Amino acid sequence: MKIETHSIDGKWKRYTLINNNNMSIRFLDFGGIITEINVPDRNQQLENVVLGYRNYQHYENNTNFLGTIIGRVAGRIKDASFTLNNKTYMLEANNNTHHLHGGSKGFHQIIWKTKPFQTENTVGVTLTHRSHDGEGGYPGTVDVAVTYTLNNKNELIIDYFATSNKTTAFTLTNHSYFNLTGNLAQNIHNHVVTIDSDTFVELSEELIPTGKKLHVENTPFDFREGRKIADGINSTYSQNIMANNGYDHYFILNQRKQAVICIKDETSGRKLTVKTNQPGVVLYTANSSIDNLELEKGRSKQHLGVCLETQASPASLHHEGFPTIILKADATYKKQTVYTFGIEE
């Protein structure tokens, strides 16, 4: 196990976590951005399985949120506003008339304080930040800690911790785009995804939750027994078409199984399983906004990566019956998502 530290143009730090299996995770203190995850295929060939820019400076204008920590609120907030304790808070409208992923100066745009650590079986870094009252339009001074831990089970563990001195809206996620073919060898059409979810959230044409929850039965959103992402990309189902031929939807997790999400790639043999104590996940399949960017292994294109944004639901700010994102004053926000990389036998 070891940690390597490298300076990027004298302004950012890049950390590389390496375990005893030579699996490695590389990320920046800027935005907590995960730039590489190198894991073996069935032939023990190590390759990067997340999308990252070739030129690190492109992360400064990272409108696709590649690999970032997202906050204060992950997802879209309708009309860039919400009401809490009879007071309305106005946020930045950075996605048409709506608020997306904490705004243009959200957690993906800050330099986090970092503290590396190492034990016999783990290596990691804790990233911390204080977000002051009123920052981004949100109430409360929030102290945030996000810890990346790599162990010898080829697990990346992301722990999220926060407290606020005022009741506020808060839900974090990581926005890595996974492509298990390795080094972007192919698109994600044939990735087989399994999600333990009976219900997903209907979206409007502006990709804002309508307040209606739909059952997955007899739709391309039924991932309970596993299905290819291509099923949704090629579908004529209105919710797939609305998302520009793919998925950009929140699934409410059943939490009946230990591993609630799984992705498999037959060509490489790689498998990613995800465990989380978050109530749901946004499945996003890079439907449009990621065209023609200069990535580490070539130009980007539609459907080149898939995001698994484990989080609560911003729809809860405007609709009843959704997993809440309200963090009460002096309460503790404590969430964990574990990504396990393996080989399909």
Side-chain angles (χ1 to χ4, degrees), residues 223-242:
F223 288 96
R224 292 173 296 183
E225 300 300 325
R227 75 183 316 138
K228 289 184 178 181
I229 289 174
D231 290 353
I233 291 172
N234 299 323
S235 169
T236 58
Y237 185 59
S238 61
Q239 284 293 298
N240 292 118
I241 293 172
M242 201 170 292

Side-chain angles (χ1 to χ4, degrees), residues 71-86:
R72 287 187 186 190
V73 170
R76 293 178 176 86
I77 297 179
K78 181 183 178 182
D79 298 329
S81 66
F82 65 94
T83 300
L84 189 59
N85 296 331
N86 297 317

